Amino acid sequence: MRDEIDGVRFEYEVNGHYLRGAKTVVFLHGWGGDLRSFRGAFSAVTDLGLSAVNFAFPKEVPPDWGVYDYAAFVGAFLEREGIAGATIVGHSFGGRVGIILAAQRKAEKLVLVDAAGMKPRFSLRKKIKIARYKRAVKCGKPLDGMGSVDYNNTSGDGRKVFVRIVNTHLDKLLPYIECETLIVCGKSDKDTPPYMAKRLKRGIKNSELVFLDGGHYCYTESHHTFVRLLKKFLSAR
């Protein structure tokens, strides 16, 4: 269904067990994703008889937005729906938002899947690419093809929003997350590498880390294993 909050439009879907005010599993996809991203896991949660929401981030947002604005937007949705006991399941960018919400005590449980938000390590090759990018910006040269896939798939003011998000690191929030947390990471993830997942594990006190076969989309590449993990985590209430 389509909806809006403060003039910003978005989409979401609920399952047959959804009840406003009930403890609810909320799925948050990665950057550039949509309602299809978590549909398999969303269906699996429905099989458990749990209230669930599959949330799609707005496609168009104000040009000055950053990741905290996205988190505030999701928080406003949770408040409007009366969801006080949310289990946030976030992939990549959705994990960034989940980290913020959990640090703000707006999540009862947290599942981070190939989550972004940790300050990256830069290899020499990466530093050279960054230097070339900055030089291109300074000289006013075209930037297409110079950034990540997500960057290149974003245009206009959306690129400014994306760059602002990528340059916002959330490491400092980890000590404030007290809810039970499941961290899932693809063994071959190159976008949010395993060292980031290990940092999440060290920083979040009540957390468990599981590595799955696959890369940045391990929840689809190892779908059945991920669903088993998720069901077990959600059932331990």
Side-chain angles (χ1 to χ4, degrees), residues 67-68 96-97 99-100 116-118 168-174:
V67 66
Y68 283 92
R96 291 180 187 267
V97 173
I99 288 170
I100 294 171
M118 299 296 96
T168 301
H169 307 308
L170 307 176
D171 306 64
K172 64 183 180 182
L173 297 184
L174 302 187

Side-chain angles (χ1 to χ4, degrees), residues 106-184:
K106 294 179 181 178
E108 185 176 85
K109 282 190 172 186
L110 179 64
V111 181
L112 299 174
V113 188
D114 297 307
M118 299 296 96
K119 187 174 182 179
R121 300 172 184 166
F122 290 133
S123 63
L124 178 59
R125 173 181 284 186
K126 184 68 173 179
K127 289 178 180 178
I128 291 173
K129 288 180 70 174
I130 292 173
R132 287 175 177 169
Y133 171 83
K134 289 182 177 179
R135 186 163 61 248
V137 171
K138 186 176 181 180
C139 297
K141 295 181 178 180
L143 303 177
D144 291 335
M146 296 196 69
S148 66
V149 172
D150 284 337
Y151 177 85
N152 290 320
N153 287 337
T154 307
S155 60
D157 288 334
R159 283 191 172 180
K160 297 177 183 178
V161 172
F162 177 76
V163 170
R164 193 176 297 119
I165 289 168
V166 169
N167 289 321
T168 301
H169 307 308
L170 307 176
D171 306 64
K172 64 183 180 182
L173 297 184
L174 302 187
Y176 297 98
I177 298 177
E178 297 182 350
C179 63
E180 186 179 357
T181 302
L182 173 64
I183 304 163
V184 180

Side-chain angles (χ1 to χ4, degrees), residues 8 14 21 31 38 47 54 69 75-76 79 85 103 112 128 138-139 145 151 178 200 202-204 228:
V8 178
V14 301
W31 186 266
F38 263 126
D47 292 341
N54 193 14
D69 297 286
E79 183 176 354
L112 299 174
I128 291 173
K138 186 176 181 180
C139 297
Y151 177 85
E178 297 182 350
L200 288 167
R202 290 194 300 270
I204 301 174
R228 284 198 300 270

